[in-house]
Amino acid sequence: MLPTHTQPDPRPAGKPWAVAELADHLAISHRHLCRLIAAGRVRVVRFGRRVAVPAAEADRLMTEGAR
């Protein structure tokens, strides 16, 4: 699925994305992104209990979509 929202990232380079923030940016539901993460199709990093998507992975999703 290719993202429908492809505006450039206005954030500092390399900063990880919060899951909800990335879902909004990609114009997909938070639940869908969580399902992709649970299926191992989107790589995440964990900071204690917090889950974030690395900037490189977010860039991949913005260009290629989740596969």
Side-chain angles (χ1 to χ4, degrees):
M1 176 165 112
L2 292 176
T4 57
H5 187 72
T6 57
Q7 290 182 352
D9 181 7
R11 303 152 30 84
K15 182 179 178 189
W17 288 78
V19 173
E21 184 180 24
L22 182 58
D24 286 344
H25 188 76
L26 295 174
I28 62 174
S29 72
H30 180 267
R31 184 178 176 110
H32 181 67
L33 185 54
C34 288
R35 286 179 179 162
L36 293 172
I37 291 167
R41 295 172 64 190
V42 176
R43 188 172 61 88
V44 296
V45 292
R46 298 184 187 278
F47 302 102
R49 293 175 53 184
R50 185 169 176 230
V51 177
V53 179
E57 184 71 357
D59 290 341
R60 182 189 70 80
L61 288 171
M62 289 177 213
T63 58
E64 299 175 10
R67 297 185 184 193

